[in-house]
Amino acid sequence: MQVTELKNEGLKREFQITLKADDLSKKVDAKIVSLAKKIKMPGFRAGKVPVDMVKKKHGREVLGEVLEITVADTSRKLLQDRKLLPALEPKVSIESFDDGKDLVYSLAFEIYPEVPEFNFTKIKLNRPKVIIEAKDIEEGLERLQKTQKQFKPLVTSRAAKKGDVVVINFEGSIDGVKFDGGTASDYRLELGSNSFIKGFEDQLVGTTKDAEVDVKVTFPNDYGQANLAGKDAVFAVKVNDILESETPEANDEFAKTLGFDDLAKLKEAIGTQIENDFANLAKVKLKKELFDKLDKECNFEVPEGMVELEYNSLIQNEAEEVKPGSKEEKKRNEEFKELSTRMVKL
């Protein structure tokens, strides 16, 4: 194996490897002989097929296997001998090869950088201290009560308002034609939940039990069903009932429904949960502060290939669409490139 270094710039390395034709030929012949001992061909007993016939029929296939194995082995040996650790899978390019001639291929890759020694005692961080007060626990208890609210029929008849649940039948149509999925009976819809098409719930505020109303809406342009996207629709709605929300009282009985012995134990658990939540947020804040300082204090080159992978991942996961070629796209791309470099570095 003959090795020539073609590039040694920063983290980039590239080598040209030449493998002698005779060495390759010997490996192919040895593989053919081994294959001849196992292969079956019409007119010959197993293991008695002439080597020349095996070579004629399977020579190209064997040659391909030998080349693949040899390139992998010689590339691995080069990296081990030179104590090089690629940051990503090296790129192999066959430069020249033909029957009876030397194989010449190149191996290009980036290595991991050497991170400079750093004196961590230079870094001072502020660890937030969280003090939980009684009002924090009471607010947490109120939020928990709201999540456990129940809906019950109205004691006194009145018009529906936000926060109520209306039990409705509805039938949707576009230009007088019904569409699939636009019909339901005794559907429970919480007014103000924004779980229906924009404007639907607002038109039911102020309705009374047994009222019938035509609700007019427009499906969003990005609606999941293409045949409905951007279309104007009318829903014939019948209000069967109105239910009002009832928030449970904070007492021992309420605590027991959640698996606690009494209200005191529930409040204790809420306080512990708040402490844990704030502790996790404090850890995230502390970690960001540390990384910001490390990013500023430590300067070294990072592999471009790894940055490119991070960048492509950010682009693919970007939810907000920007116009190709616009200033917004250019600005976003610059921000993503900077962020990708920081992520790889840290």
Side-chain angles (χ1 to χ4, degrees), residues 192-346:
S193 65
N194 297 318
S195 57
F196 264 34
I197 304 164
K198 185 177 180 180
F200 191 103
E201 295 169 25
D202 293 339
Q203 295 176 60
L204 294 180
V205 173
T207 57
T208 55
K209 183 178 179 180
D210 296 326
E212 296 184 7
V213 58
D214 285 342
V215 174
K216 299 177 181 179
V217 295
T218 301
F219 284 97
N221 291 325
D222 59 352
Y223 194 68
Q225 291 177 249
N227 63 313
L228 302 179
K231 299 287 183 64
D232 293 329
V234 177
F235 286 85
V237 179
K238 166 77 181 329
V239 180
N240 297 328
D241 204 355
I242 299 173
L243 311 177
E244 61 182 344
S245 64
E246 182 180 83
T247 302
E249 186 179 345
N251 52 29
D252 290 343
E253 290 304 314
F254 173 63
K256 289 177 181 178
T257 63
L258 298 175
F260 296 91
D261 293 338
D262 51 36
L263 185 59
K265 289 292 184 183
L266 174 57
K267 288 185 175 182
E268 183 181 326
I270 291 172
T272 301
Q273 183 62 53
I274 293 174
E275 285 181 348
N276 291 338
D277 290 342
F278 275 109
N280 289 333
L281 288 172
K283 184 177 180 181
V284 171
K285 182 178 181 296
L286 201 67
K287 184 176 180 179
K288 183 181 184 304
E289 187 179 344
L290 170 62
F291 278 5
D292 285 344
K293 292 188 176 184
L294 287 175
D295 189 25
K296 183 178 179 181
E297 296 289 338
C298 298
N299 293 310
F300 54 91
E301 189 179 0
V302 293
E304 292 179 5
M306 294 182 71
V307 173
E308 191 69 21
L309 283 178
E310 289 287 354
Y311 175 80
N312 290 336
S313 177
L314 289 175
I315 291 291
Q316 290 173 5
N317 294 322
E318 170 66 355
E320 184 178 348
E321 293 186 8
V322 293
K323 185 178 179 181
S326 65
K327 291 182 179 179
E328 290 78 10
E329 183 189 45
K330 183 178 180 182
K331 181 181 179 183
R332 181 205 65 181
N333 292 351
E334 289 174 353
E335 290 175 350
F336 278 9
K337 184 67 73 173
E338 183 178 340
L339 178 59
S340 300
T341 302
R342 171 185 165 92
M343 291 167 69
V344 170
K345 179 182 178 184
L346 292 175

Side-chain angles (χ1 to χ4, degrees), residues 160 164-168 187-189 191 204 207 239 241-243:
D164 289 339
V165 162
V166 288
V167 183
I168 58 175
Y187 187 93
R188 292 189 168 212
L189 174 63
L191 301 182
L204 294 180
T207 57
V239 180
D241 204 355
I242 299 173
L243 311 177

Side-chain angles (χ1 to χ4, degrees), residues 112-250:
Y112 281 106
E114 286 193 21
V115 180
E117 292 291 331
F118 185 73
N119 181 8
F120 284 92
T121 61
K122 290 168 55 180
I123 293 184
K124 303 294 183 185
L125 299 174
N126 297 313
R127 184 187 297 277
K129 184 177 181 180
V130 180
I131 300 175
I132 306 299
E133 299 180 353
K135 67 172 186 175
D136 299 317
I137 296 177
E138 291 301 324
E139 289 173 358
L141 180 59
E142 287 179 14
R143 289 192 296 269
L144 181 60
Q145 286 173 264
K146 289 178 180 178
T147 65
Q148 300 299 312
K149 65 183 178 182
Q150 298 178 339
F151 292 93
K152 296 184 177 180
L154 296 175
V155 176
T156 304
S157 180
R158 62 167 173 79
K161 62 182 181 179
K162 284 191 176 182
D164 289 339
V165 162
V166 288
V167 183
I168 58 175
N169 298 343
F170 61 83
E171 189 174 83
S173 61
I174 296 176
D175 295 330
V177 180
K178 299 177 186 178
F179 54 86
D180 291 340
T183 303
S185 297
D186 288 330
Y187 187 93
R188 292 189 168 212
L189 174 63
E190 182 178 351
L191 301 182
S193 65
N194 297 318
S195 57
F196 264 34
I197 304 164
K198 185 177 180 180
F200 191 103
E201 295 169 25
D202 293 339
Q203 295 176 60
L204 294 180
V205 173
T207 57
T208 55
K209 183 178 179 180
D210 296 326
E212 296 184 7
V213 58
D214 285 342
V215 174
K216 299 177 181 179
V217 295
T218 301
F219 284 97
N221 291 325
D222 59 352
Y223 194 68
Q225 291 177 249
N227 63 313
L228 302 179
K231 299 287 183 64
D232 293 329
V234 177
F235 286 85
V237 179
K238 166 77 181 329
V239 180
N240 297 328
D241 204 355
I242 299 173
L243 311 177
E244 61 182 344
S245 64
E246 182 180 83
T247 302
E249 186 179 345

Side-chain angles (χ1 to χ4, degrees), residues 8-15 79 82-88 108-114 301-304 306:
N8 188 337
E9 301 171 0
L11 302 178
K12 295 181 179 179
R13 300 289 185 274
E14 186 173 354
F15 297 90
L79 296 174
R82 302 199 177 217
K83 295 183 172 58
L84 296 173
L85 181 61
L88 296 172
F109 54 92
E110 290 180 283
I111 60 172
Y112 281 106
E114 286 193 21
E301 189 179 0
V302 293
E304 292 179 5
M306 294 182 71

